[in-house]
């Protein structure tokens, strides 16, 4: 099919379908379940919810095909729907951008999103509030697509805060079970911490709008160097403010600490929102406006350092976690750190590449964990698991694929993107810290392989929980025997994702394909090639070191956990306790926010507020007493006050009139 | 200056007066109805407010957004010896405030109609008192309309103070448990504050009289007089402070705000719903355009106060034990945003602050209506006494959630447009060096704090298992939901298509900036773009 331009109006349908799905569930979902009966009603809701996302996927594929048939320079187009803000010099339309970057993200969001919706029809089958789940889930897809398709900062901010809202609603989804307090606390925490980051987004928008007179990505990217100047203070400020927003949404230091608690939501939510899509928004933002970062080298260094440090920090914490989903949550934080490391050294396309591969294998790992949780009646403590491969063979097999992919073993998808990150870090000349950052990356690879082996082995291969429980000091084993794999959608999705995690980045499509595809949108424009590590010089060393680290991690993991978790670790003693408590960071933040913040709020809201109000009342009382004294009147009635004031006013009026006429 | 739209004048068969006095006509009709005829009284009140709304519709249709100056102007000498005139007129800024007052009045009256029979002290009139209650409510509507229409300083003062009378009685007669204290505090505090405005207005008029030998209280003429250098800056400063103090109390601006949570906390819900931001409007209509030089001198201070107010009130909101009081402190915090936008003294900030004033009516109106309906069911709004409402009242919870999102300024809602423009305007002023950037950043942290107090409240009230005593609460009836829906629709309408509303105030805003911001401000601002 020969077309000469991109069918940009498809944007309306790509966005409209999930939104229509959301409205459908919200307005008719509950009614359908009542009228059609539980089974048929839920089936319809699930089918519509999943269907709209797959339909959006299909449209995204159409966009991709058209795009691939076009020459490189014709692969970018804008679509303006309507005016949004138009006040004086401030003009911000609802505009959307279609280019390789947004199409790639659309494919990830709708592709992985569709699969996870499908999975959720099985996972949530017994939930009593089924339509509400799909309302929020479809709404999330809508906001996420708005985020990635946005053509300017302000439209992106709709998606940016919108996905935060959905995240909030879904973390607190189980709002009345036994854990409701923890669940809804976690939801609040996520929203509030994200708002701290969003403040950066907001302030960056103010600066950009005032200086550029526009919020359009195209305009800002084109004129960034000329308007802001390279390496100026204002350029650094804008980049750092945007990065602050990214650390909130993408769970990096110092704002990562909401994500682990976000696991309180249903597992499909953890997989889709808190692993595969929403949390990658920060990386996407950096790539979308990469010229703004390139002209601020200091900010680039900050990005790289924060990324690398978060990667190893979170990986170390993952070692000490005992909940299956929390291990994966810290692994997400760590992998996101890798992505920011890539962006920080100027390899933006590599960051996006890792976003895509990570979406596959992390969704796979989370959904595998979900399958385990279904079987274990939602008890997620890995210390009480073991030997589950006999009950859940398909889950075990696909989880091993996930393990190999995230650890970076060839030919699984994680290998290609992680190697690309390490390679670009190795060759970068951005700062003298680069060797350190590179070796942090290698060390993180070792830790990643180690904690993932720990997880997989303890859950599926270690001696079964009955014997493992002796390690916990004779604790009673769980009352229920593990269930079997029941839902075909769950298994089907696991298998599809396992295939994706195996082939993506290698066969379908290959690393070079992706590089070529993203070249027009993610190639640095202000950084010379001498700054970037695109040479093949260190390839052997990098590949060797990375593979060795992964193998070492795998070997150490199996050696340590062969017969189950050692008792010291089970009881979280010593270092394990420190790691379990996130090096004390979460506690410190809690203290700062809840204790110190609470005390501060009390001083202002109770003490000072009371003083101000008391002063007002005191003035009132004194006036009354004075009035009593002067006029000897019984008081307490408003009439006398009003009369007094009226008289006073009259006197002043008369005085003023006389004064005026003289 | 002050160019009257003559074409509109000829056409206008005194639409403004009709709009203004129709509620009062309603009051007289109500007085004809025998006591205790609740249904009839409600019908008359609804008819009166609907007629008023229809008349504001006439205003919207005939409003010409392409001209500056006041439209539908009416001028009748009132006390000609003292230069006091019955002078009405609206521009793009007051237009929507007038419309919104009419909309909210309809909703408030329907709310009273739907109210179940509850005893005194429950924020709702009993059946035999409905007529009296509605009379006060309609009188309040007229007073508010007058505030937004008056262009004569004395006339404005009269309406400004007239709002106190019905509000005082509504609180004192139908308020909560501490209604006596609340009503008194409300009356004395705001009345006392307004006296300063009266004195400053008199002082200004006499300066004008001494210079021209002519008495006038007409806004446009005094404005021109000051603009032509009739008042030295030193005096301007004192006059501005006099006006500012009155309006800051009314706004309410921290630290003059403590009457607000007390008075409105005890006030019946319909009062809180229609009690619009007259203080903010007075600032932008009188305070700043009359004394532009003084406004510029005080802008850095005002910006600082406003930013502190945003944060202070938001923090105080977290410490409240009552849903209504949380919302009332949210109002104080949002008033800070309005003032930030105004003290930016530029177009973005002004439009933002007008949108934010509209938001106050829309979002807070919806919020208080919902709280009132909850109060009908639970007889309390204390957070401790509530819990698990989401499972028990899903429709109510969904509506409350949407209103809450507008309140925390989620993009796509009206709240975002208002806060974004106010802060952007403030940043523009900071960028051109007129105010300190620090205050903009401080004010912007209000967006974090609003989430803290709202989400925390939402969690405690709506999440968790439903306590036994709340298990019989019925969800909203269709009529109750329908009452809130227009406001929810407005939340998204303003949020997504703000141009439909800002379009008509574009000219007025341009003119306002020309009047208020002198050359250095404007030049500095233009250079920045």
């Amino acid at each position: 099919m020969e077309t000469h331009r991109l069918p940009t109006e498809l944007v309306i349908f790509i966005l409209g379908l999930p939104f229509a799905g959301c409205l459908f569930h919200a307005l008719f979902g509950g009614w359908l379940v009542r009228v059609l009966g539980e089974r048929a009603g839920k089936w319809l809701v699930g089918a519509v919810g999943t269907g709209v996302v797959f339909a959006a996927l299909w449209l995204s594929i159409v966009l991709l095909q058209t795009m691939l048939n076009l020459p490189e320079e014709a692969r970018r187009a804008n679509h303006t729907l309507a005016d949004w803000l138009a006040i004086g010099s401030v003009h911000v339309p609802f505009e959307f951008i279609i280019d390789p970057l947004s199409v790639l993200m659309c494919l990830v969001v709708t592709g992985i999103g569709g699969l996870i919706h499908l999975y959720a029809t099985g996972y949530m089958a017994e939930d009593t509030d089924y339509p509400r789940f799909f309302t929020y889930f479809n709404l999330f897809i809508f906001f996420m697509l708005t985020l990635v398709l946005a053509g300017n900062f302000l439209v992106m901010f709709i998606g940016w805060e919108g996905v935060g809202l959905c995240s909030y609603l879904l973390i607190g989804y189980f709002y009345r079970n036994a854990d409701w307090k923890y669940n809804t606390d976690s939801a609040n925490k996520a929203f509030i911490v994200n708002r701290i980051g969003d403040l950066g987004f907001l302030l960056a928008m103010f600066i950009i709008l005032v200086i550029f007179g526009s919020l359009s990505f195209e305009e800002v990217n084109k004129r960034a160097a000329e308007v802001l100047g390279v390496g100026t203070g204002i350029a650094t400020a804008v980049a750092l403010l945007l990065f602050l927003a990214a650390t909130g949404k993408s769970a990096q230091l110092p704002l990562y600490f909401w994500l682990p608690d976000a696991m309180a939501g249903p597992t499909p939510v953890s997989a889709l929102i808190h692993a595969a899509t929403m949390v990658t928004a920060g990386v996407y933002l950096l790539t979308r406006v990469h010229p703004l970062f390139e002209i601020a080298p200091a900010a680039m260094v900050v990005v790289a350092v924060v990324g690398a440090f978060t990667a190893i920090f979170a990986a170390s914490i993952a070692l000490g976690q005992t909940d299956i989903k929390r291990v994966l949550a810290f692994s997400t934080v760590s992998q996101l750190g890798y992505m920011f490391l890539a962006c920080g050294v100027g390899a933006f396309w590599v960051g996006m590449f890792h976003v895509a591969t990570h979406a596959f294998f992390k969704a796979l790992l989370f959904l595998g964990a979900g399958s385990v949780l279904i079987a274990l009646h939602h008890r997620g403590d890995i210390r009480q698991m073991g030997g589950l491969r006999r009950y859940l063979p398909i889950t075990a097999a696909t989880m091993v694929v996930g393990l190999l992919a995230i650890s970076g073993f060839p030919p699984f998808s994680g290998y290609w993107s992680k190697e690309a990150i390490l390679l670009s870090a190795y060759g970068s000349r951005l700062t003298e810290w680069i060797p350190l950052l590179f070796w942090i990356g290698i060390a993180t690879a070792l830790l990643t392989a180690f904690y993932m082996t720990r997880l997989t082995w303890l859950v599926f291969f270690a001696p079964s929980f009955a014997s493992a429980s002796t390690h916990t000091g004779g604790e009673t084993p769980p009352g229920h025997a593990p269930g079997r794999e029941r839902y075909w959608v769950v298994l089907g999705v696991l298998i599809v994702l396992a295939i994706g995690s195996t082939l993506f980045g290698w066969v379908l499509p290959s690393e070079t394909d992706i590089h070529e595809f993203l070249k027009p949108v993610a190639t640095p424009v202000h950084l010379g090639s001498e700054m970037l590590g695109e040479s093949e010089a260190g390839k052997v060393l990098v590949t060797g070191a990375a593979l060795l680290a992964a193998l070492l991690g795998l070997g150490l993991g199996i050696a340590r956990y062969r017969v189950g978790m050692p008792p010291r670790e089970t009881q979280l003693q010593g270092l394990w306790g420190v790691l379990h408590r996130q090096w004390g960071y979460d506690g410190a933040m809690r203290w700062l926010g809840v204790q110190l913040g609470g005390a501060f709020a009390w001083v202002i809201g109770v003490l000072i507020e009371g003083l101000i109000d008391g002063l007002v009342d005191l003035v009132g009382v004194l006036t009354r007493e004075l009035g009593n004294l002067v006029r000897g009147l019984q008081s307490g009635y408003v009439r006398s006050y009003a009369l007094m004031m009226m008289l006073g006013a009259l006197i002043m009026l008369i005085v003023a009139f006389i004064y005026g006429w003289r | 200056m002050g160019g009257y739209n003559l074409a509109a004048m000829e056409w206008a068969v005194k639409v403004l007066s009709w709009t203004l006095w129709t509620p009062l006509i309603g009051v007289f009709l109500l007085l004809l109805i025998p006591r205790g005829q609740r249904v009839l009284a409600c019908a008359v009140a609804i008819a009166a407010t609907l007629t008023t709304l229809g008349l504001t519709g006439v205003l919207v249709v005939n409003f010409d957004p392409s001209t500056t100056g006041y439209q539908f102007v009416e001028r009748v000498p009132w006390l000609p010896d003292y230069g006091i005139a019955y002078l009405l007129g609206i521009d793009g800024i007051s237009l929507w405030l007038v419309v919104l007052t009419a909309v909210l009045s309809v909703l408030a009256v329907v709310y009273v109609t739907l109210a179940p029979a509850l005893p005194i002290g429950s924020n709702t009139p009993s059946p035999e008192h409905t007529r009296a209650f509605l009379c006060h409510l309609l009188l309040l509507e007229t007073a508010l309309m007058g505030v937004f229409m008056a262009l004569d300083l004395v006339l404005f003062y009269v309406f400004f103070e007239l709002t106190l009378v019905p509000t005082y009685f509504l609180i004192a007669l139908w308020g909560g448990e501490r209604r006596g204290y609340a009503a008194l505090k409300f009356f004395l505090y705001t009345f006392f504050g307004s006296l300063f405005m009266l004195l400053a207005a008199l002082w200004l008029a006499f300066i004008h009289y001494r210079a021209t030998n002519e008495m006038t209280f007409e806004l446009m003429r005094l404005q021109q007089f000051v603009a032509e250098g009739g008042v030295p800056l030193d005096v301007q400063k004192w006059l501005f402070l006099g006006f500012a103090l009155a309006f800051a109390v009314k706004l309410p601006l921290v630290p003059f705000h403590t009457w607000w949570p007390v008075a409105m906390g005890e006030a019946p819900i319909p009062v809180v719903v229609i009690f619009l931001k007259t203080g903010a409007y007075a600032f932008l209509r009188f305070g700043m355009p009359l004394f532009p030089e003084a406004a510029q001198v005080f802008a850095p201070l005002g910006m600082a106060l406003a930013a502190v107010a945003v944060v202070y009130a938001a923090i105080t909101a977290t410490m409240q034990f009552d849903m209504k009081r949380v919302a009332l402190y949210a109002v104080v915090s949002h008033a800070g945003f309005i003032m930030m936008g105004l003290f930016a003294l530029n177009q973005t900030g002004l439009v933002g602050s007008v949108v934010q004033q509209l938001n106050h009516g829309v979002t807070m109106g919806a919020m208080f209506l919902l709280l009132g309906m909850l109060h009908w069911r639970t007889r309390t709004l204390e957070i401790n006494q509530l819990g698990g409402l989401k499972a028990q009242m899903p429709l109510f919870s969904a509506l409350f959630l949407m209103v809450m999102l507008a309140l925390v300024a989620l993009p796509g809602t009206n709240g975002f447009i208002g806060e974004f423009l106010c802060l952007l305007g403030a940043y523009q002023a900071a960028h051109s060096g007129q105010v300190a950037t620090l205050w903009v950043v401080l004010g912007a942290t209000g967006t974090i704090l609003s989430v803290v107090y709202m989400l925390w409240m939402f969690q405690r009230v709506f999440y968790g298992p439903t306590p036994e005593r709340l298990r019989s609460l019925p969800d909203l009836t269709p009529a109750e939901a329908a009452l809130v829906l227009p406001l929810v629709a407005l939340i998204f309408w303003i949020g997504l298509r703000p141009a439909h509303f800002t379009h008509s105030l574009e000219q007025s805003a341009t003119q306002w900036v020309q009047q208020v911001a002198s050359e250095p401000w404007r030049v500095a601002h233009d250079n920045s773009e």
Side-chain angles (χ1 to χ4, degrees), chain A residues 222-251:
Chain A
K222 206 187 303 164
R223 293 171 47 209
E226 152 210 354
V227 174
L228 290 174
V230 177
T232 56
I234 192 86
T236 311
V238 170
L240 285 179
L241 285 171
L242 288 174
F243 183 57
L244 175 66
T247 60
K249 196 65 66 199
S250 293

Side-chain angles (χ1 to χ4, degrees), chain B residues 36-119:
Chain B
Q37 295 276 4
R38 186 171 185 277
V39 180
L40 192 56
C42 288
V44 169
I46 290 176
T49 49
L50 275 179
T51 313
T52 315
L53 181 63
L55 287 166
T56 63
V58 175
L59 293 177
V60 173
V61 171
N62 289 286
F63 188 84
D64 178 4
S66 62
T67 60
T68 60
Y70 299 101
Q71 304 186 23
F72 312 103
V73 172
E74 290 173 33
R75 182 203 307 269
V76 180
W78 181 19
L79 299 169
D81 291 347
Y82 303 105
I84 299 172
Y86 172 81
L87 177 59
L88 301 180
I90 57 170
D91 65 356
I93 295 169
S94 34
L95 172 70
W96 291 116
L97 289 165
V98 168
V99 175
L100 191 60
T101 307
V103 172
L104 292 173
S105 299
V106 174
L107 298 180
V109 171
V110 176
Y111 172 92
V112 175
T113 311
L114 292 176
L118 295 169

